[in-house]
Every structure is written in C-alpha cells, then in structure tokens.
Amino acid sequence: TCLPCTCCSSRSCRREIAMVFTALQLHVLQWLQHFACPFLDHVFLGITYLGSDKFYLLLLSLLYWNVSPKCGYRVALLFLVSVLLNGGLKELAHTTRPFLAYPDLIRIAPGAEATAGGCAFPSGHAQGTTAVWGALWVMLRKPWLLAVAVAP
C-alpha cells in the first residue's frame, strides 16, 4: 500500500519512485564524471543550448520561412504538446536533480545551473529533441534527421 507522500501529503508513491530515479542518476553521473574536463564542459554546454527555448524559436522560424509554413506549424504544435506532456510527467515523477540532492558527490559544470531548472526526470531536452527532429524526419524523410532524433 502507498503511504502519504512526504512532500505533498497525497496518497501516492511518487516520493519513493523519485528516490529510485535519483539514486540511479547518481550512479550514472558519478561514472560520467570520471571523464569530466573543462573542454568537455564547454562542448556539452553547447549541446545543451541546442535544447533551449531560444534555439527552438530560431529553428521553428527557419522551418516556417525556409521549408514551408505547414511544416513549421506542425513541428511547432508537436513541440508545444511535448513541452506540456513533459511538464506533466515531471510533476508526476517529482525527481530532485542529483546535483541538488547530493551536492558533495555530483559536480556541475560552471554555467550549467541556468539550464537545470525544475525537476530532473524526464529530460525536457531529450524529449524536445526527439519530438522535433523525429517529426522533421517523418515529414522530410532525410536519413540524417533520424540519427539526430534518436541521439538523445
């Protein structure tokens, strides 16, 4: 049976599920930190920017003006649905970011805090990338778009 959640007093196991996800993330992140260096920090911050709202605004504008308005509208609508779905899933999972839960164990790159707001799971960057580039692949049938869509 589920006990009342300690963070919101509802009768759910969200807190317990969040603890499992956080522990899993902790182990993976500690392993990845073995490869950390300032160069890779900059590379991955650049990749993270490709999942930002500014990048998507630019991309959707370019699609509308340079590919077709119909394509731009469809991808924008799918992206908005993905953002709403992601927000709902984050509320359900309610997973604390590992660098906040374990500040002594997890190192975060300088400047990365600005890109890490809200709950940790599911990843908005990964979901947005898969939704946008996957939709473009379906519409435009370019093989390289499929590789970008499944990369996250």
Side-chain angles (χ1 to χ4, degrees):
T1 64
C2 292
L3 300 173
C5 183
T6 57
C7 63
C8 64
S9 300
S10 69
R11 295 192 72 68
S12 72
C13 294
R14 288 190 301 170
R15 182 75 175 140
E16 290 78 15
I17 292 170
M19 289 171 56
V20 170
F21 283 121
T22 302
L24 176 63
Q25 291 175 3
L26 177 65
H27 293 296
V28 171
L29 290 173
Q30 285 181 314
W31 177 76
L32 287 172
Q33 284 183 346
H34 292 289
F35 307 104
C37 68
F39 172 74
L40 288 178
D41 288 348
H42 290 295
V43 169
F44 286 108
L45 281 174
I47 292 170
T48 298
Y49 177 76
L50 298 177
S52 72
D53 52 354
K54 293 173 188 162
F55 174 78
Y56 283 120
L57 184 60
L58 175 65
L59 177 68
L60 294 171
S61 299
L62 291 172
L63 283 173
Y64 181 85
W65 289 320
N66 296 322
V67 177
S68 77
K70 184 177 179 180
C71 180
Y73 281 130
R74 285 183 175 176
V75 174
L77 180 62
L78 181 67
F79 178 67
L80 289 174
V81 169
S82 175
V83 167
L84 292 173
L85 178 64
N86 186 268
L89 291 172
K90 281 182 183 280
E91 284 298 315
L92 287 174
H94 199 66
T95 307
T96 305
R97 293 194 176 270
F99 73 89
L100 294 174
Y102 305 98
D104 296 338
L105 300 175
I106 300 297
R107 172 193 165 276
I108 186 165
E113 298 93 349
T115 68
C119 295
F121 178 83
S123 169
H125 283 82
Q127 184 173 332
T129 300
T130 302
V132 168
W133 296 102
L136 286 172
W137 174 72
V138 167
M139 285 185 241
L140 304 176
R141 296 289 183 200
K142 303 286 184 190
W144 65 271
L145 289 170
L146 178 60
V148 174
V150 299

